Short mmCIF file of all heavy atoms in Angstrom, two decimals:
data_model
loop_
_atom_site.label_atom_id
_atom_site.label_comp_id
_atom_site.label_asym_id
_atom_site.label_seq_id
_atom_site.Cartn_x
_atom_site.Cartn_y
_atom_site.Cartn_z
N MET S 10 4.80 2.29 -9.27
CA MET S 10 4.88 1.04 -10.03
C MET S 10 3.74 0.14 -9.58
O MET S 10 3.37 0.12 -8.42
CB MET S 10 6.22 0.37 -9.79
CG MET S 10 6.41 -0.87 -10.63
SD MET S 10 7.99 -1.70 -10.41
CE MET S 10 9.10 -0.50 -11.03
N TRP S 11 3.18 -0.60 -10.52
CA TRP S 11 2.11 -1.54 -10.17
C TRP S 11 2.61 -2.55 -9.15
O TRP S 11 3.69 -3.12 -9.29
CB TRP S 11 1.67 -2.31 -11.39
CG TRP S 11 0.79 -1.57 -12.33
CD1 TRP S 11 0.28 -0.32 -12.22
CD2 TRP S 11 0.30 -2.08 -13.57
NE1 TRP S 11 -0.50 -0.01 -13.29
CE2 TRP S 11 -0.50 -1.08 -14.14
CE3 TRP S 11 0.46 -3.28 -14.24
CZ2 TRP S 11 -1.14 -1.24 -15.36
CZ3 TRP S 11 -0.17 -3.43 -15.46
CH2 TRP S 11 -0.96 -2.42 -15.99
N PRO S 12 1.83 -2.82 -8.12
CA PRO S 12 2.21 -3.86 -7.16
C PRO S 12 2.41 -5.21 -7.85
O PRO S 12 3.26 -5.99 -7.44
CB PRO S 12 1.04 -3.90 -6.19
CG PRO S 12 0.40 -2.55 -6.29
CD PRO S 12 0.60 -2.12 -7.72
N ALA S 13 1.65 -5.47 -8.92
CA ALA S 13 1.80 -6.74 -9.63
C ALA S 13 3.19 -6.86 -10.24
O ALA S 13 3.81 -7.93 -10.20
CB ALA S 13 0.74 -6.85 -10.73
N VAL S 14 3.71 -5.77 -10.79
CA VAL S 14 5.04 -5.79 -11.40
C VAL S 14 6.10 -6.01 -10.32
O VAL S 14 7.04 -6.79 -10.50
CB VAL S 14 5.31 -4.49 -12.17
CG1 VAL S 14 6.74 -4.43 -12.67
CG2 VAL S 14 4.33 -4.35 -13.33
N THR S 15 5.92 -5.36 -9.19
CA THR S 15 6.86 -5.52 -8.08
C THR S 15 6.87 -6.96 -7.58
O THR S 15 7.93 -7.54 -7.34
CB THR S 15 6.49 -4.57 -6.93
OG1 THR S 15 6.44 -3.24 -7.43
CG2 THR S 15 7.49 -4.65 -5.80
N ALA S 16 5.69 -7.56 -7.45
CA ALA S 16 5.60 -8.95 -6.99
C ALA S 16 6.25 -9.90 -7.99
O ALA S 16 6.97 -10.83 -7.61
CB ALA S 16 4.15 -9.33 -6.76
N LEU S 17 6.01 -9.67 -9.28
CA LEU S 17 6.62 -10.53 -10.30
C LEU S 17 8.14 -10.36 -10.32
O LEU S 17 8.87 -11.34 -10.49
CB LEU S 17 6.05 -10.22 -11.68
CG LEU S 17 4.62 -10.68 -11.91
CD1 LEU S 17 4.09 -10.12 -13.23
CD2 LEU S 17 4.52 -12.20 -11.90
N ALA S 18 8.62 -9.14 -10.15
CA ALA S 18 10.06 -8.90 -10.12
C ALA S 18 10.70 -9.62 -8.94
O ALA S 18 11.78 -10.21 -9.07
CB ALA S 18 10.35 -7.41 -10.06
N ALA S 19 10.02 -9.59 -7.79
CA ALA S 19 10.55 -10.28 -6.61
C ALA S 19 10.60 -11.79 -6.84
O ALA S 19 11.58 -12.45 -6.48
CB ALA S 19 9.69 -9.96 -5.39
N GLU S 20 9.55 -12.32 -7.47
CA GLU S 20 9.54 -13.77 -7.75
C GLU S 20 10.63 -14.12 -8.76
O GLU S 20 11.31 -15.14 -8.61
CB GLU S 20 8.17 -14.18 -8.28
CG GLU S 20 8.03 -15.66 -8.50
CD GLU S 20 6.62 -16.08 -8.90
OE1 GLU S 20 5.67 -15.33 -8.65
OE2 GLU S 20 6.49 -17.18 -9.46
N LEU S 21 10.81 -13.29 -9.76
CA LEU S 21 11.85 -13.53 -10.75
C LEU S 21 13.23 -13.49 -10.11
O LEU S 21 14.08 -14.34 -10.37
CB LEU S 21 11.76 -12.49 -11.88
CG LEU S 21 12.78 -12.59 -12.99
CD1 LEU S 21 12.68 -13.93 -13.70
CD2 LEU S 21 12.58 -11.45 -13.99
N PHE S 22 13.45 -12.52 -9.23
CA PHE S 22 14.73 -12.41 -8.54
C PHE S 22 14.98 -13.62 -7.65
O PHE S 22 16.06 -14.19 -7.63
CB PHE S 22 14.76 -11.13 -7.70
CG PHE S 22 16.06 -10.91 -6.98
CD1 PHE S 22 17.18 -10.45 -7.64
CD2 PHE S 22 16.16 -11.19 -5.63
CE1 PHE S 22 18.38 -10.26 -6.97
CE2 PHE S 22 17.35 -11.01 -4.94
CZ PHE S 22 18.46 -10.54 -5.62
N ARG S 23 13.92 -14.03 -6.93
CA ARG S 23 14.05 -15.14 -5.98
C ARG S 23 14.24 -16.48 -6.69
O ARG S 23 15.11 -17.27 -6.34
CB ARG S 23 12.81 -15.19 -5.08
CG ARG S 23 12.85 -16.27 -4.01
CD ARG S 23 11.56 -16.38 -3.22
NE ARG S 23 10.48 -16.83 -4.10
CZ ARG S 23 9.36 -16.15 -4.35
NH1 ARG S 23 9.15 -14.99 -3.77
NH2 ARG S 23 8.44 -16.63 -5.15
N ASP S 24 13.40 -16.74 -7.71
CA ASP S 24 13.38 -18.06 -8.33
C ASP S 24 14.15 -18.13 -9.65
O ASP S 24 14.40 -19.22 -10.16
CB ASP S 24 11.93 -18.50 -8.60
CG ASP S 24 11.12 -18.60 -7.32
OD1 ASP S 24 11.71 -18.75 -6.23
OD2 ASP S 24 9.88 -18.51 -7.41
N GLY S 25 14.47 -16.98 -10.23
CA GLY S 25 15.19 -16.98 -11.49
C GLY S 25 14.30 -17.14 -12.71
O GLY S 25 14.79 -17.10 -13.83
N GLU S 26 13.02 -17.34 -12.49
CA GLU S 26 12.07 -17.45 -13.60
C GLU S 26 10.66 -17.25 -13.08
O GLU S 26 10.40 -17.40 -11.89
CB GLU S 26 12.18 -18.80 -14.30
CG GLU S 26 11.79 -19.98 -13.42
CD GLU S 26 11.96 -21.32 -14.12
OE1 GLU S 26 12.59 -21.37 -15.18
OE2 GLU S 26 11.45 -22.31 -13.59
N ILE S 27 9.77 -16.86 -13.98
CA ILE S 27 8.35 -16.78 -13.66
C ILE S 27 7.59 -17.39 -14.82
O ILE S 27 8.03 -17.32 -15.97
CB ILE S 27 7.87 -15.34 -13.39
CG1 ILE S 27 8.27 -14.40 -14.52
CG2 ILE S 27 8.34 -14.85 -12.05
CD1 ILE S 27 7.74 -13.00 -14.38
N GLY S 28 6.49 -17.99 -14.53
CA GLY S 28 5.71 -18.65 -15.56
C GLY S 28 4.49 -17.84 -15.96
O GLY S 28 4.14 -16.83 -15.34
N HIS S 29 3.86 -18.31 -17.00
CA HIS S 29 2.66 -17.66 -17.53
C HIS S 29 1.58 -17.55 -16.46
O HIS S 29 0.93 -16.51 -16.33
CB HIS S 29 2.15 -18.45 -18.74
CG HIS S 29 0.91 -17.89 -19.34
ND1 HIS S 29 0.91 -16.76 -20.12
CD2 HIS S 29 -0.38 -18.29 -19.26
CE1 HIS S 29 -0.33 -16.49 -20.50
NE2 HIS S 29 -1.13 -17.40 -19.99
N GLN S 30 1.40 -18.59 -15.68
CA GLN S 30 0.36 -18.59 -14.64
C GLN S 30 0.62 -17.52 -13.60
O GLN S 30 -0.30 -16.84 -13.15
CB GLN S 30 0.28 -19.96 -13.98
CG GLN S 30 -0.87 -20.09 -13.01
CD GLN S 30 -1.00 -21.49 -12.44
OE1 GLN S 30 -0.13 -22.33 -12.63
NE2 GLN S 30 -2.09 -21.75 -11.77
N ALA S 31 1.87 -17.31 -13.23
CA ALA S 31 2.20 -16.27 -12.25
C ALA S 31 1.90 -14.87 -12.80
O ALA S 31 1.39 -14.00 -12.10
CB ALA S 31 3.67 -16.36 -11.84
N VAL S 32 2.17 -14.69 -14.08
CA VAL S 32 1.92 -13.39 -14.72
C VAL S 32 0.42 -13.12 -14.80
O VAL S 32 -0.05 -12.04 -14.43
CB VAL S 32 2.56 -13.32 -16.11
CG1 VAL S 32 2.16 -12.04 -16.84
CG2 VAL S 32 4.07 -13.42 -16.01
N THR S 33 -0.34 -14.10 -15.26
CA THR S 33 -1.78 -13.89 -15.38
C THR S 33 -2.43 -13.69 -14.01
O THR S 33 -3.33 -12.87 -13.86
CB THR S 33 -2.47 -15.04 -16.13
OG1 THR S 33 -2.18 -16.28 -15.48
CG2 THR S 33 -2.02 -15.10 -17.57
N ALA S 34 -1.95 -14.40 -12.99
CA ALA S 34 -2.49 -14.23 -11.64
C ALA S 34 -2.17 -12.85 -11.10
O ALA S 34 -3.02 -12.18 -10.50
CB ALA S 34 -1.95 -15.31 -10.71
N ALA S 35 -0.94 -12.38 -11.31
CA ALA S 35 -0.54 -11.07 -10.81
C ALA S 35 -1.32 -9.95 -11.49
O ALA S 35 -1.62 -8.93 -10.86
CB ALA S 35 0.96 -10.87 -11.02
N LEU S 36 -1.66 -10.14 -12.76
CA LEU S 36 -2.42 -9.13 -13.48
C LEU S 36 -3.91 -9.21 -13.20
O LEU S 36 -4.68 -8.37 -13.64
CB LEU S 36 -2.18 -9.25 -14.99
CG LEU S 36 -0.78 -8.88 -15.45
CD1 LEU S 36 -0.63 -9.16 -16.94
CD2 LEU S 36 -0.47 -7.44 -15.14
N GLY S 37 -4.32 -10.25 -12.49
CA GLY S 37 -5.73 -10.41 -12.17
C GLY S 37 -6.56 -10.85 -13.36
O GLY S 37 -7.75 -10.57 -13.42
N LEU S 38 -5.91 -11.53 -14.30
CA LEU S 38 -6.64 -12.01 -15.48
C LEU S 38 -7.53 -13.18 -15.10
O LEU S 38 -7.14 -14.02 -14.29
CB LEU S 38 -5.68 -12.43 -16.59
CG LEU S 38 -4.83 -11.33 -17.19
CD1 LEU S 38 -3.88 -11.92 -18.22
CD2 LEU S 38 -5.68 -10.27 -17.80
N PRO S 39 -8.70 -13.27 -15.69
CA PRO S 39 -9.58 -14.41 -15.43
C PRO S 39 -8.95 -15.69 -15.97
O PRO S 39 -8.14 -15.66 -16.89
CB PRO S 39 -10.87 -14.07 -16.18
CG PRO S 39 -10.60 -12.85 -16.97
CD PRO S 39 -9.28 -12.30 -16.59
N SER S 40 -9.32 -16.81 -15.37
CA SER S 40 -8.75 -18.08 -15.80
C SER S 40 -9.38 -18.61 -17.08
O SER S 40 -8.81 -19.44 -17.75
CB SER S 40 -8.88 -19.12 -14.68
OG SER S 40 -10.25 -19.28 -14.35
N SER S 41 -10.55 -18.11 -17.42
CA SER S 41 -11.24 -18.56 -18.62
C SER S 41 -10.75 -17.80 -19.84
O SER S 41 -10.66 -16.57 -19.83
CB SER S 41 -12.76 -18.33 -18.46
OG SER S 41 -13.41 -18.46 -19.70
N ASP S 42 -10.42 -18.52 -20.92
CA ASP S 42 -9.98 -17.87 -22.15
C ASP S 42 -11.06 -16.96 -22.72
O ASP S 42 -10.77 -15.94 -23.33
CB ASP S 42 -9.57 -18.91 -23.20
CG ASP S 42 -8.27 -19.59 -22.87
OD1 ASP S 42 -7.47 -19.01 -22.09
OD2 ASP S 42 -8.02 -20.69 -23.38
N ILE S 43 -12.31 -17.33 -22.52
CA ILE S 43 -13.41 -16.53 -23.05
C ILE S 43 -13.43 -15.16 -22.37
O ILE S 43 -13.68 -14.14 -23.00
CB ILE S 43 -14.76 -17.25 -22.85
CG1 ILE S 43 -14.80 -18.51 -23.70
CG2 ILE S 43 -15.94 -16.34 -23.15
CD1 ILE S 43 -15.97 -19.42 -23.43
N GLU S 44 -13.15 -15.12 -21.07
CA GLU S 44 -13.16 -13.87 -20.32
C GLU S 44 -11.87 -13.08 -20.48
O GLU S 44 -11.85 -11.88 -20.26
CB GLU S 44 -13.39 -14.15 -18.84
CG GLU S 44 -14.74 -14.77 -18.53
CD GLU S 44 -14.87 -15.17 -17.08
OE1 GLU S 44 -13.91 -14.96 -16.31
OE2 GLU S 44 -15.92 -15.69 -16.71
N THR S 45 -10.78 -13.74 -20.86
CA THR S 45 -9.48 -13.09 -20.93
C THR S 45 -9.38 -12.11 -22.09
O THR S 45 -8.78 -11.04 -21.96
CB THR S 45 -8.36 -14.14 -21.04
OG1 THR S 45 -8.43 -14.99 -19.90
CG2 THR S 45 -6.99 -13.50 -21.07
N SER S 46 -9.96 -12.43 -23.23
CA SER S 46 -9.82 -11.59 -24.42
C SER S 46 -10.25 -10.14 -24.19
O SER S 46 -9.51 -9.22 -24.54
CB SER S 46 -10.58 -12.20 -25.59
OG SER S 46 -10.40 -11.44 -26.75
N PRO S 47 -11.42 -9.88 -23.60
CA PRO S 47 -11.79 -8.49 -23.35
C PRO S 47 -10.84 -7.79 -22.37
O PRO S 47 -10.55 -6.60 -22.52
CB PRO S 47 -13.20 -8.57 -22.75
CG PRO S 47 -13.70 -9.91 -23.12
CD PRO S 47 -12.51 -10.79 -23.27
N VAL S 48 -10.33 -8.53 -21.40
CA VAL S 48 -9.41 -7.93 -20.43
C VAL S 48 -8.10 -7.55 -21.13
O VAL S 48 -7.55 -6.48 -20.90
CB VAL S 48 -9.16 -8.88 -19.24
CG1 VAL S 48 -8.09 -8.32 -18.32
CG2 VAL S 48 -10.44 -9.12 -18.47
N LEU S 49 -7.61 -8.41 -22.01
CA LEU S 49 -6.39 -8.09 -22.75
C LEU S 49 -6.58 -6.84 -23.60
O LEU S 49 -5.69 -6.01 -23.72
CB LEU S 49 -5.94 -9.27 -23.61
CG LEU S 49 -5.49 -10.51 -22.84
CD1 LEU S 49 -5.16 -11.65 -23.80
CD2 LEU S 49 -4.32 -10.20 -21.94
N SER S 50 -7.75 -6.71 -24.19
CA SER S 50 -8.05 -5.50 -24.97
C SER S 50 -8.04 -4.27 -24.08
O SER S 50 -7.55 -3.20 -24.48
CB SER S 50 -9.42 -5.63 -25.64
OG SER S 50 -9.42 -6.67 -26.58
N MET S 51 -8.56 -4.40 -22.87
CA MET S 51 -8.57 -3.28 -21.93
C MET S 51 -7.15 -2.92 -21.50
O MET S 51 -6.84 -1.73 -21.34
CB MET S 51 -9.44 -3.63 -20.72
CG MET S 51 -10.92 -3.69 -21.05
SD MET S 51 -11.95 -4.31 -19.70
CE MET S 51 -11.66 -3.10 -18.43
N ILE S 52 -6.29 -3.91 -21.33
CA ILE S 52 -4.89 -3.65 -20.97
C ILE S 52 -4.22 -2.85 -22.09
O ILE S 52 -3.56 -1.84 -21.84
CB ILE S 52 -4.12 -4.96 -20.69
CG1 ILE S 52 -4.62 -5.59 -19.40
CG2 ILE S 52 -2.62 -4.70 -20.62
CD1 ILE S 52 -4.08 -6.99 -19.16
N LYS S 53 -4.42 -3.29 -23.33
CA LYS S 53 -3.82 -2.60 -24.47
C LYS S 53 -4.33 -1.17 -24.59
O LYS S 53 -3.60 -0.27 -25.02
CB LYS S 53 -4.11 -3.36 -25.76
CG LYS S 53 -3.36 -4.67 -25.86
CD LYS S 53 -3.74 -5.42 -27.13
CE LYS S 53 -3.07 -6.77 -27.17
NZ LYS S 53 -3.47 -7.55 -28.34
N ALA S 54 -5.58 -0.93 -24.22
CA ALA S 54 -6.17 0.40 -24.30
C ALA S 54 -5.83 1.26 -23.08
O ALA S 54 -6.20 2.43 -23.02
CB ALA S 54 -7.69 0.28 -24.43
N GLY S 55 -5.12 0.69 -22.11
CA GLY S 55 -4.75 1.44 -20.91
C GLY S 55 -5.91 1.64 -19.95
O GLY S 55 -5.90 2.56 -19.15
N MET S 56 -6.89 0.75 -20.02
CA MET S 56 -8.08 0.88 -19.18
C MET S 56 -8.15 -0.19 -18.09
O MET S 56 -9.19 -0.38 -17.48
CB MET S 56 -9.34 0.79 -20.05
CG MET S 56 -9.41 1.89 -21.09
SD MET S 56 -10.73 1.69 -22.30
CE MET S 56 -12.15 1.39 -21.29
N TRP S 57 -7.09 -0.90 -17.84
CA TRP S 57 -7.10 -2.00 -16.87
C TRP S 57 -5.96 -1.82 -15.89
O TRP S 57 -4.83 -1.52 -16.28
CB TRP S 57 -6.95 -3.34 -17.58
CG TRP S 57 -6.84 -4.51 -16.67
CD1 TRP S 57 -5.70 -5.08 -16.19
CD2 TRP S 57 -7.91 -5.28 -16.12
NE1 TRP S 57 -6.01 -6.14 -15.38
CE2 TRP S 57 -7.36 -6.28 -15.32
CE3 TRP S 57 -9.30 -5.20 -16.23
CZ2 TRP S 57 -8.12 -7.21 -14.64
CZ3 TRP S 57 -10.05 -6.12 -15.54
CH2 TRP S 57 -9.48 -7.12 -14.76
N SER S 58 -6.22 -1.99 -14.64
CA SER S 58 -5.20 -2.01 -13.61
C SER S 58 -5.35 -3.31 -12.85
O SER S 58 -6.48 -3.72 -12.54
CB SER S 58 -5.37 -0.84 -12.64
OG SER S 58 -5.11 0.37 -13.29
N PRO S 59 -4.24 -3.95 -12.54
CA PRO S 59 -4.32 -5.18 -11.75
C PRO S 59 -4.94 -4.89 -10.40
O PRO S 59 -4.79 -3.79 -9.88
CB PRO S 59 -2.89 -5.65 -11.60
CG PRO S 59 -2.07 -4.80 -12.47
CD PRO S 59 -2.86 -3.61 -12.84
N PRO S 60 -5.62 -5.88 -9.83
CA PRO S 60 -6.17 -5.67 -8.48
C PRO S 60 -5.06 -5.48 -7.46
O PRO S 60 -3.94 -5.97 -7.64
CB PRO S 60 -6.94 -6.96 -8.23
CG PRO S 60 -6.39 -7.96 -9.18
CD PRO S 60 -5.85 -7.21 -10.35
N LYS S 61 -5.36 -4.75 -6.42
CA LYS S 61 -4.37 -4.57 -5.36
C LYS S 61 -4.19 -5.90 -4.62
O LYS S 61 -5.16 -6.63 -4.41
CB LYS S 61 -4.83 -3.48 -4.40
CG LYS S 61 -4.91 -2.14 -5.05
CD LYS S 61 -5.27 -1.08 -4.02
CE LYS S 61 -5.59 0.22 -4.69
NZ LYS S 61 -4.52 1.05 -4.98
N PRO S 62 -2.96 -6.22 -4.24
CA PRO S 62 -2.73 -7.48 -3.54
C PRO S 62 -3.44 -7.48 -2.19
O PRO S 62 -3.56 -6.45 -1.54
CB PRO S 62 -1.22 -7.55 -3.37
CG PRO S 62 -0.71 -6.20 -3.63
CD PRO S 62 -1.75 -5.45 -4.41
N VAL S 63 -3.89 -8.65 -1.80
CA VAL S 63 -4.55 -8.82 -0.52
C VAL S 63 -3.48 -8.91 0.56
O VAL S 63 -2.55 -9.69 0.45
CB VAL S 63 -5.42 -10.10 -0.52
CG1 VAL S 63 -6.05 -10.32 0.83
CG2 VAL S 63 -6.47 -10.02 -1.62
N THR S 64 -3.62 -8.09 1.58
CA THR S 64 -2.67 -8.14 2.69
C THR S 64 -3.43 -8.53 3.95
O THR S 64 -4.57 -8.13 4.15
CB THR S 64 -1.98 -6.78 2.90
OG1 THR S 64 -2.96 -5.78 3.08
CG2 THR S 64 -1.11 -6.43 1.71
N ALA S 65 -2.79 -9.33 4.76
CA ALA S 65 -3.44 -9.80 5.99
C ALA S 65 -3.26 -8.84 7.12
O ALA S 65 -2.45 -8.01 7.19
CB ALA S 65 -2.89 -11.17 6.37
#
């Protein structure tokens, strides 16, 4: 399972809700709408994987 999905599920379980910003951050989407469109197309095409979470 994608680490991003696991992290979002944990946040949903803990807080009872997750927002759009948490989803886009977990998927590694750029903050700019101009840059987001190509990434969304890549997700739909199965060519995008979220970045691995940074661990200390």
Side-chain angles (χ1 to χ4, degrees):
M10 185 179 294
W11 283 357
V14 174
T15 304
L17 288 171
E20 185 174 340
L21 179 61
F22 181 78
R23 182 186 66 239
D24 300 338
E26 65 183 13
I27 52 175
H29 179 76
Q30 186 175 11
V32 173
T33 56
L36 291 175
L38 295 177
S40 58
S41 166
D42 287 339
I43 294 171
E44 296 174 0
T45 301
S46 183
V48 174
L49 293 177
S50 295
M51 290 172 61
I52 291 171
K53 290 177 184 177
M56 299 171 50
W57 175 267
S58 293
K61 295 184 190 275
V63 177
T64 56

